[in-house]
Amino acid sequence: MIKEKKVSSRFIYFFGAFGGILFGYDIGVMTGALPFLQQDWNIENAAVIGWITSSIMLGAIIGGALAGQLSDRLGRRKMILIAAVIFVIGSILSGIAPPNGHYFLIAARIFLGMAVGAASALVPAYMSEMAPAHLRGRLSGINQTMIVSGMLLSYIVDYLLSGLPATMAWRLMLTMAAVPALILFFGVLKLPESPRFLIKNNKLDEARRVLSYLRPKETLESEINQIQEAAEQEKLASQNTSWGSLLSSKYRYLLIAGVGVAAFQQFQGANAIFYYIPMIVENATGTAASTALMWPIIQGIILVLGSLLFLVIADKFKRRTLLTLGGTVMGLSFILPAILQKVIPDANPMMIVVFLSIYVAFYSFTWAPLTWVIIGEIFPLMIRGRASGVASSFNWIGSFLVGLMFPIMIATISQEAVFAIFGVICLLGVAFVRIRVPETRGYTLEEIESMEESRQAKQKSALLERAGL
């Protein structure tokens, strides 16, 4: 066996973060490419626009579902390498789609989406398994920052390439995603396998060697013992629970809370802005979408700044407080333009874009990162794997449906009315949080589960009291 070279923790965290940047790039790149693609292929059918844009999310649903299972068999590192290869191939296939090859491009983006879904599951898992315990709490926020940085990078690349002829511009925008994918591939080649995976597969010596690169010698054995204990607990949990366990009275409330937050995050309409902001500006002002590529950059900067703000305030405010604040302002930012348009018909059409920027600002430090924090905190060990998978699936499905339906909706009703609908969903999300989601900041998983059991006991006692028993 070839002895692995020592790899610095900075190198590991950099390429873990780079996976998030790549994920964000592929999510955002179609924002700038779509106007040129529409111009090149003369696409006017709203359903075709929706399918081409959202197809990457359809692939992500498949990739996210497969990645977790395959990574338990093949290893985190190997699966990230496979995802990087799919990134490269999918990006190139997207860029060489034949003229008017709608179905070819949709298929290529579904294939590419499998890598997006895999990366969204694998990269944070790998980073958390490599990082020391005191850094794991920040990883959700850091991963969110890297994803939105990747989106901002894609918007900048789109803007820089916007001066090219239409047929060349969109092809280069999509193909350029292969460059960071290659960097990720060659970087991960130098990384070791996750010690958690190695221990679960009875490769203690290799796990000990990898951890020796990252931890002080005096804490090495205690961490190995902790990982072994956690692995045994997970094994016991998988043996003693089934999919049906998720709907048992003991866990149903927490499942509904976690899945509900994940679904609301998407159905609130954020991705409609991120995918279609040039189209939104075109509908508002009448100027060509291909000339509105500075707006995605502005939205991207707001997203990055908001994600950095979250890193500062994440543990200073209650989860429910931030979600309530964010959802309320987001809802009003969508509803007010529709009201103002009725009251002041001659108002500046760019008013809606200003309100959308306010929406993005509050989304970026509330619902965007906190959804994943809550999913990581709310589920007890016995159902965590299955419940997290269900919540993630609902999130991807919501993202796919919003991307698919938005252009169809604005082709049917006014843009202000569409956003007003999203605004109502935002406010319903706030109501859901206040009624159904328990506070998780500062509580252990065991305490959260205990609070739920106490709540159920009080409900049962109240029902018996009403029945006179």
Side-chain angles (χ1 to χ4, degrees):
M1 182 184 295
I2 300 174
K3 186 176 180 180
E4 294 175 353
K5 295 181 180 179
K6 183 172 182 178
V7 182
S8 73
S9 58
R10 290 183 180 180
F11 188 88
I12 291 170
Y13 301 147
F14 173 80
F15 278 99
F18 205 88
I21 289 173
L22 181 56
F23 169 31
Y25 185 98
D26 278 284
I27 293 295
V29 69
M30 184 55 79
T31 302
L34 184 61
F36 296 97
L37 176 63
Q38 288 180 262
Q39 182 182 334
D40 185 28
W41 287 2
N42 195 29
I43 303 174
E44 296 182 359
N45 187 307
V48 171
I49 294 170
W51 272 104
I52 289 174
T53 303
S54 64
S55 53
I56 197 168
M57 297 304 168
L58 184 58
I61 296 169
I62 302 168
L66 292 176
Q69 298 179 33
L70 291 176
S71 69
D72 283 338
R73 296 180 186 177
L74 303 177
R76 297 6 170 190
R77 174 181 172 275
K78 187 175 291 185
M79 281 304 301
I80 294 174
L81 289 171
I82 292 172
V85 171
I86 295 175
F87 268 122
V88 172
I89 297 172
S91 301
I92 294 172
L93 287 175
S94 299
I96 63 171
N100 297 311
H102 302 153
Y103 295 113
F104 182 97
L105 183 56
I106 290 170
R109 284 179 58 74
I110 290 174
F111 181 71
L112 176 60
M114 292 175 65
V116 171
S120 71
L122 293 169
V123 172
Y126 179 82
M127 287 180 68
S128 66
E129 291 176 4
M130 299 298 282
H134 69 277
L135 291 180
R136 287 175 192 150
R138 298 185 190 175
L139 289 178
S140 292
I142 292 174
N143 190 52
Q144 176 68 18
T145 300
M146 294 308 145
I147 291 171
V148 296
S149 296
M151 293 172 66
L152 175 58
L153 176 63
S154 74
Y155 299 152
I156 293 171
V157 170
D158 289 347
Y159 181 79
L160 293 176
L161 296 176
S162 62
L164 297 173
T167 188
M168 187 182 299
W170 72 264
R171 292 180 184 278
L172 272 178
M173 290 173 186
L174 298 185
T175 306
M176 284 291 286
V179 176
L182 285 170
I183 295 173
L184 176 65
F185 179 85
F186 287 111
V188 174
L189 275 179
K190 298 180 180 294
L191 298 186
E193 182 51 85
S194 153
R196 187 181 181 86
F197 172 80
L198 294 172
I199 288 173
K200 287 177 71 174
N201 286 271
N202 299 315
K203 298 180 179 179
L204 284 178
D205 290 339
E206 290 183 51
R208 189 173 284 107
R209 183 167 64 249
V210 172
L211 279 174
S212 71
Y213 304 158
L214 303 167
R215 307 286 192 271
K217 186 179 293 186
E218 58 271 17
T219 66
L220 197 61
E221 293 305 321
S222 64
E223 182 158 350
I224 288 175
N225 291 334
Q226 288 174 359
I227 295 173
Q228 286 178 307
E229 289 175 10
E232 286 297 321
Q233 288 179 336
E234 287 183 8
K235 185 178 179 181
L236 183 64
S238 65
Q239 291 173 346
N240 293 335
T241 57
S242 63
W243 287 105
S245 302
L246 300 182
L247 298 177
S248 68
S249 59
K250 185 176 181 180
Y251 300 124
R252 189 187 306 128
Y253 182 84
L254 296 176
L255 176 72
I256 292 172
V259 170
V261 170
F264 268 112
Q265 187 208 44
Q266 290 301 329
F267 287 114
Q268 289 167 338
N271 280 342
I273 303 173
F274 304 145
Y275 299 155
Y276 297 112
I277 186 66
M279 181 191 296
I280 293 168
V281 174
E282 180 179 21
N283 287 338
T285 64
T287 59
S290 57
T291 65
L293 295 189
M294 182 57 73
W295 278 103
I297 295 177
I298 293 171
Q299 305 294 334
I301 292 171
I302 294 172
L303 277 172
V304 172
L305 292 176
S307 70
L308 294 174
L309 173 62
F310 174 74
L311 292 178
V312 176
I313 68 172
D315 294 318
K316 296 180 180 179
F317 297 92
K318 292 181 178 179
R319 314 293 190 225
R320 282 162 36 107
T321 300
L322 287 176
L323 289 175
T324 300
L325 170 67
T328 302
V329 175
M330 288 154 54
L332 293 176
S333 298
F334 275 156
I335 293 170
L336 286 177
I339 296 173
L340 290 173
Q341 188 198 36
K342 294 293 184 183
V343 177
I344 314 172
D346 297 329
N348 190 321
M350 286 302 289
M351 166 188 66
I352 190 172
V353 183
V354 174
F355 276 104
L356 293 186
S357 297
I358 296 172
Y359 172 99
V360 171
F362 278 81
Y363 174 80
S364 67
F365 70 88
T366 59
W367 281 83
L370 275 172
T371 294
W372 302 109
V373 173
I374 287 175
I375 288 173
E377 291 177 338
I378 202 169
F379 298 127
L381 177 64
M382 296 298 284
I383 63 165
R384 190 181 308 154
R386 288 186 172 94
S388 297
V390 171
S392 297
S393 295
F394 270 83
N395 189 265
W396 284 118
I397 291 168
S399 180
F400 166 69
L401 290 175
V402 169
L404 176 64
M405 295 303 298
F406 181 75
I408 299 173
M409 291 170 72
I410 62 171
T412 307
I413 58 179
S414 74
Q415 188 163 264
E416 288 79 10
V418 173
F419 283 121
I421 292 170
F422 286 138
V424 171
I425 295 173
C426 288
L427 297 181
L428 289 174
V430 171
F432 178 83
V433 167
R434 304 308 303 180
I435 296 169
R436 303 290 299 187
V437 180
E439 181 57 52
T440 59
R441 183 180 72 98
Y443 295 103
T444 66
L445 296 174
E446 292 74 22
E447 287 171 336
I448 294 168
E449 187 174 355
S450 177
M451 286 189 295
E452 169 53 18
E453 290 173 354
S454 175
R455 187 194 69 85
Q456 290 181 13
K458 288 180 181 177
Q459 280 188 340
K460 186 176 181 179
S461 176
L463 288 172
L464 291 173
E465 188 176 328
R466 288 175 191 170
L469 299 174

